[in-house]
Amino acid sequence: MREKIVILFGQQVMQTLIIFIHLGLLKLFLGGTEVDYQLVNDPPQSSTNEWSGLIGDTFRYLQGAPWIPLTPILSFALVMFAVALMMEGYIRAASGYSYYGQKFKKNLDTSGKPVKNNVNKADFVRVKS
Protein backbone atom coordinates (compact mmCIF):
# COMPACT_ATOMS: atom_id res chain seq x y z
CA MET A 1 0.00 0.00 0.00
CA ARG A 2 2.88 2.38 0.82
CA GLU A 3 4.39 2.00 -2.66
CA LYS A 4 1.10 2.88 -4.32
CA ILE A 5 0.69 5.96 -2.14
CA VAL A 6 4.21 7.18 -2.97
CA ILE A 7 3.64 6.64 -6.69
CA LEU A 8 0.27 8.39 -6.53
CA PHE A 9 1.79 11.31 -4.63
CA GLY A 10 4.56 11.67 -7.24
CA GLN A 11 2.05 11.60 -10.08
CA GLN A 12 -0.07 14.25 -8.38
CA VAL A 13 2.96 16.49 -7.90
CA MET A 14 3.81 16.16 -11.60
CA GLN A 15 0.25 16.96 -12.66
CA THR A 16 0.14 19.96 -10.34
CA LEU A 17 3.34 21.34 -11.85
CA ILE A 18 1.91 20.92 -15.35
CA ILE A 19 -1.26 22.76 -14.30
CA PHE A 20 0.86 25.59 -12.89
CA ILE A 21 2.67 25.91 -16.22
CA HIS A 22 -0.60 26.03 -18.14
CA LEU A 23 -2.12 28.59 -15.78
CA GLY A 24 0.95 30.77 -16.25
CA LEU A 25 0.63 30.58 -20.04
CA LEU A 26 -3.04 31.60 -19.75
CA LYS A 27 -2.01 34.51 -17.49
CA LEU A 28 -4.03 33.16 -14.56
CA PHE A 29 -1.43 33.71 -11.88
CA LEU A 30 -1.50 31.69 -8.67
CA GLY A 31 -0.42 34.43 -6.27
CA GLY A 32 -2.61 37.15 -7.73
CA THR A 33 -2.73 39.36 -10.79
CA GLU A 34 -1.94 43.04 -11.00
CA VAL A 35 -4.12 44.63 -13.68
CA ASP A 36 -3.56 48.17 -14.97
CA TYR A 37 -6.83 50.02 -15.65
CA GLN A 38 -5.35 53.22 -17.14
CA LEU A 39 -6.08 54.50 -20.63
CA VAL A 40 -2.92 52.93 -22.04
CA ASN A 41 -2.71 49.81 -19.93
CA ASP A 42 0.12 47.37 -19.33
CA PRO A 43 -0.47 43.62 -19.69
CA PRO A 44 -1.48 41.72 -16.52
CA GLN A 45 1.45 40.84 -14.29
CA SER A 46 1.98 38.36 -11.49
CA SER A 47 2.05 40.02 -8.09
CA THR A 48 4.16 37.30 -6.41
CA ASN A 49 6.50 36.44 -9.31
CA GLU A 50 6.21 32.66 -8.89
CA TRP A 51 7.62 30.43 -11.63
CA SER A 52 4.33 30.04 -13.49
CA GLY A 53 3.82 33.79 -13.32
CA LEU A 54 7.30 34.37 -14.70
CA ILE A 55 6.51 32.05 -17.60
CA GLY A 56 3.31 33.94 -18.39
CA ASP A 57 4.87 37.39 -17.98
CA THR A 58 7.92 36.71 -20.12
CA PHE A 59 6.53 34.39 -22.79
CA ARG A 60 6.31 37.29 -25.25
CA TYR A 61 10.13 37.59 -25.11
CA LEU A 62 10.66 34.05 -26.42
CA GLN A 63 11.78 35.23 -29.88
CA GLY A 64 14.04 38.13 -28.85
CA ALA A 65 15.55 36.96 -25.58
CA PRO A 66 14.77 33.26 -25.15
CA TRP A 67 16.79 32.85 -21.93
CA ILE A 68 14.25 34.95 -20.01
CA PRO A 69 11.20 32.63 -20.32
CA LEU A 70 13.29 29.48 -20.67
CA THR A 71 14.82 29.89 -17.20
CA PRO A 72 11.57 29.17 -15.28
CA ILE A 73 10.57 26.58 -17.88
CA LEU A 74 13.87 24.72 -17.34
CA SER A 75 13.40 25.06 -13.59
CA PHE A 76 10.02 23.36 -13.86
CA ALA A 77 11.55 20.65 -16.04
CA LEU A 78 14.35 20.09 -13.53
CA VAL A 79 11.89 19.75 -10.63
CA MET A 80 9.74 17.34 -12.65
CA PHE A 81 12.82 15.28 -13.54
CA ALA A 82 13.86 15.18 -9.87
CA VAL A 83 10.40 13.98 -8.82
CA ALA A 84 10.50 11.29 -11.51
CA LEU A 85 13.92 10.12 -10.30
CA MET A 86 12.72 10.01 -6.68
CA MET A 87 9.72 7.91 -7.68
CA GLU A 88 11.89 5.54 -9.71
CA GLY A 89 14.42 5.20 -6.90
CA TYR A 90 11.70 4.44 -4.37
CA ILE A 91 10.14 1.84 -6.66
CA ARG A 92 13.51 0.13 -7.16
CA ALA A 93 14.37 0.19 -3.48
CA ALA A 94 10.95 -1.12 -2.49
CA SER A 95 11.21 -4.00 -4.95
CA GLY A 96 14.69 -4.96 -3.69
CA TYR A 97 16.90 -3.71 -6.50
CA SER A 98 19.93 -1.48 -6.14
CA TYR A 99 20.77 1.59 -8.21
CA TYR A 100 22.66 -0.58 -10.70
CA GLY A 101 19.78 -2.99 -11.24
CA GLN A 102 21.24 -5.79 -9.13
CA LYS A 103 19.07 -7.59 -6.64
CA PHE A 104 19.95 -6.98 -2.99
CA LYS A 105 21.53 -10.04 -1.41
CA LYS A 106 20.19 -11.27 1.89
CA ASN A 107 22.59 -12.79 4.37
CA LEU A 108 21.43 -16.33 5.10
CA ASP A 109 23.00 -18.91 7.33
CA THR A 110 23.10 -22.62 6.53
CA SER A 111 19.55 -23.16 7.81
CA GLY A 112 18.14 -20.53 5.43
CA LYS A 113 17.27 -17.99 8.12
CA PRO A 114 18.37 -14.36 7.81
CA VAL A 115 21.55 -13.53 9.71
CA LYS A 116 21.61 -10.51 12.01
CA ASN A 117 24.76 -8.47 11.67
CA ASN A 118 25.88 -7.64 15.18
CA VAL A 119 28.09 -4.59 15.49
CA ASN A 120 30.22 -4.21 18.59
CA LYS A 121 32.10 -1.22 19.89
CA ALA A 122 35.33 -3.19 19.47
CA ASP A 123 34.78 -3.36 15.69
CA PHE A 124 35.68 0.34 15.40
CA VAL A 125 39.12 1.87 15.77
CA ARG A 126 39.48 5.45 16.91
CA VAL A 127 41.59 7.35 14.40
CA LYS A 128 42.15 10.60 16.26
CA SER A 129 41.51 11.56 19.87
Side-chain angles (χ1 to χ4, degrees):
M1 184 75 172
R2 184 183 305 159
E3 291 84 12
K4 289 183 181 182
I5 290 174
V6 169
I7 293 170
L8 187 65
F9 177 75
Q11 289 173 347
Q12 293 298 315
V13 167
M14 298 282 262
Q15 290 173 359
T16 304
L17 291 172
I18 291 171
I19 286 174
F20 285 164
I21 292 171
H22 286 105
L23 287 175
L25 288 174
L26 295 172
K27 296 190 186 289
L28 299 171
F29 304 126
L30 184 67
T33 306
E34 294 178 1
V35 180
D36 188 14
Y37 293 109
Q38 295 180 4
L39 188 58
V40 180
N41 56 356
D42 291 331
Q45 294 180 344
S46 171
S47 58
T48 57
N49 291 323
E50 77 279 358
W51 284 353
S52 60
L54 292 175
I55 291 172
D57 280 344
T58 61
F59 197 71
R60 61 183 176 266
Y61 301 124
L62 192 59
Q63 291 291 325
W67 60 87
I68 297 173
L70 286 180
T71 302
I73 291 172
L74 290 176
S75 300
F76 266 112
L78 184 65
V79 169
M80 292 171 76
F81 183 65
V83 170
L85 286 179
M86 284 189 286
M87 286 177 19
E88 180 68 26
Y90 184 80
I91 291 169
R92 284 187 183 184
S95 64
Y97 286 93
S98 70
Y99 176 75
Y100 301 106
Q102 298 170 348
K103 189 86 169 155
F104 288 130
K105 295 178 183 175
K106 293 183 180 177
N107 293 336
L108 301 174
D109 63 1
T110 56
S111 65
K113 294 181 182 178
V115 176
K116 284 191 172 184
N117 295 328
N118 295 327
V119 179
N120 298 326
K121 194 172 185 178
D123 293 337
F124 298 97
V125 177
R126 176 168 267 185
V127 177
K128 200 174 193 183
S129 35

